[in-house]
Amino acid sequence: MKLFSLPYLAYSRIITSMNPIEVISLSFYSKTSRERIKQIHFDVPFLGISTRVNNRKAPVFQLRITGYRHLSIPFETAPRTSRCKGRRFTGTADGVKHYFRCIEGMTGTVLFSNIPKSYFKITNYILDLVRASLSFLVLDLNMIGDLKGFITEPCMKSVSVIEILSETVTAEKLSVFFNNIENPVKNVHIHSKVEGQVPTSMNIFQTEILVFYESSWITREHLLGFNGNILCFKKPHFDIELVIEFIKQWRNGNNTRFIALMMSEVPQKVMDKARFISEFDAKPWDPAKREKRSIYEKEITDVQDITSDLSEGFDLERDDGLLANILVGPPDLFQFFVWHKRFTVAE
């Protein structure tokens, strides 16, 4: 192919300016074209699998190369209404020849194969081609038949962010899904109401950042058993006594990993500032002891839209010297924050 007779800098710029579907179809032209494409660095800021795609009843692999629209691969065969649309090309992935059909939509290109249940093979082919890793999952677990088979696919090892969208999900499904994840996940958001008893040993309670948007199923044991960094709740259902017990557990323990408990839309019965001050003999902010603003600002505000000004909070210190801050912010925001570094070190 004449394209690859050009210097590397020239053909790499041409290829990185292509639409993703053009890059994929070019890779099937020959073994040489595929190997040359694999040598190119692609900036791939968006790479994951989601069930939050319009009019789809299955997960969809989504990829975007900087500056271009999405490429989507639905985990289903093409609907009858689409089987005569778009353009066709052939390609061999993992030793199997596929007849592909690509259809241009409003938000990008949709790619279908004629071979049923080949979506992970095609996904793995594309990940290998652009030398990228799957980064996120946004899923309704009720839309996935074989949860264990899905989450144990080799490409899932790189996933760092998982968002569960199911309106209601059983504890069994949640356990099958999360307990079969091989590598630790950094960030988990759960929107679902959970039916059944969720064991406190489930590995989500060791996640670095864990966010619940529906917390009616969360028990005392779940809260006190959290062993991650940041825990967030929207509309928490527990009372002030449990929040106090959580803080006492931290104060009397030796957990040096914990960073923050953040809650929004908190019931007014929990928003008793005087009770927290009295219970922990908490003191007003002292500028000599810590900064005014959280030095973990970006890490936390990426999880939840909160203020980073902690000067209105009250501080308590435990025996090992770790300082913590309790901020009861009107009208309904609660934050318990641990200062692992009290001051930013000047570079």
Side-chain angles (χ1 to χ4, degrees), residues 21 24-25 28 87-91 98-102 111:
I21 193 64
I24 293 166
S25 58
F28 289 124
R87 69 183 181 92
R88 300 178 64 182
F89 62 91
T90 61
H98 296 256
Y99 290 88
F100 292 108
R101 184 178 296 278
C102 61
L111 182 66

Side-chain angles (χ1 to χ4, degrees), residues 202-226:
M202 187 185 294
N203 56 14
I204 58 170
F205 297 106
Q206 283 77 50
T207 304
E208 284 188 33
I209 302 172
L210 180 58
V211 183
F212 294 106
Y213 297 88
E214 211 295 332
S215 59
S216 62
W217 58 277
I218 297 294
T219 66
R220 171 183 176 273
E221 289 70 27
H222 291 141
L223 181 62
L224 299 181
F226 178 70

Side-chain angles (χ1 to χ4, degrees), residues 224-244:
L224 299 181
F226 178 70
N227 194 35
N229 294 15
I230 299 171
L231 181 60
C232 303
F233 290 96
K234 183 177 181 181
K235 296 181 180 179
H237 285 72
F238 27 81
D239 60 21
I240 192 171
E241 301 303 327
L242 183 52
V243 179
I244 288 172

Side-chain angles (χ1 to χ4, degrees), residues 2 24 61 108 134 179 191 200 209-210 220-221 226 247 285 304 312 321 343-344 347:
K2 291 184 179 181
I24 293 166
F61 170 75
L134 206 63
N179 288 340
H191 296 256
T200 56
I209 302 172
L210 180 58
R220 171 183 176 273
E221 289 70 27
F226 178 70
I247 296 174
W285 170 52
Q304 205 149 318
E312 297 299 318
F343 296 94
T344 305
E347 294 183 359

Side-chain angles (χ1 to χ4, degrees), residues 116-128:
K117 299 183 180 181
S118 60
Y119 26 80
F120 271 119
K121 292 187 182 299
I122 301 167
T123 295
N124 290 329
Y125 177 89
I126 294 173
L127 293 173
D128 179 65

Side-chain angles (χ1 to χ4, degrees), residues 220-285:
R220 171 183 176 273
E221 289 70 27
H222 291 141
L223 181 62
L224 299 181
F226 178 70
N227 194 35
N229 294 15
I230 299 171
L231 181 60
C232 303
F233 290 96
K234 183 177 181 181
K235 296 181 180 179
H237 285 72
F238 27 81
D239 60 21
I240 192 171
E241 301 303 327
L242 183 52
V243 179
I244 288 172
E245 187 177 2
F246 181 90
I247 296 174
K248 282 183 176 179
Q249 177 178 269
W250 173 84
R251 184 192 61 183
N252 300 332
N254 57 6
N255 183 344
T256 57
R257 180 184 177 193
F258 182 76
I259 295 173
L261 168 68
M262 294 177 290
M263 301 187 292
S264 64
E265 300 184 42
V266 180
Q268 286 304 304
K269 61 184 180 181
V270 179
M271 303 293 285
D272 187 346
K273 182 186 297 187
R275 175 73 191 282
F276 286 107
I277 293 172
S278 172
E279 191 74 43
F280 297 102
D281 191 24
K283 307 299 182 184
W285 170 52

Side-chain angles (χ1 to χ4, degrees), residues 37-49:
I37 291 171
K38 287 179 64 176
Q39 294 170 7
I40 298 171
H41 171 73
F42 291 91
D43 185 9
V44 188
F46 188 90
L47 192 58
I49 296 175

Side-chain angles (χ1 to χ4, degrees), residues 111-158:
L111 182 66
F112 291 101
S113 168
N114 68 313
I115 300 178
K117 299 183 180 181
S118 60
Y119 26 80
F120 271 119
K121 292 187 182 299
I122 301 167
T123 295
N124 290 329
Y125 177 89
I126 294 173
L127 293 173
D128 179 65
L129 183 68
V130 299
R131 292 188 300 156
S133 300
L134 206 63
S135 59
F136 71 86
L137 301 175
V138 180
L139 303 173
D140 178 347
L141 297 186
N142 297 318
M143 291 175 63
I144 302 169
D146 180 7
L147 283 171
K148 183 177 180 180
F150 181 92
I151 198 60
T152 55
E153 281 286 333
C155 64
M156 296 295 177
K157 293 179 181 180
S158 61

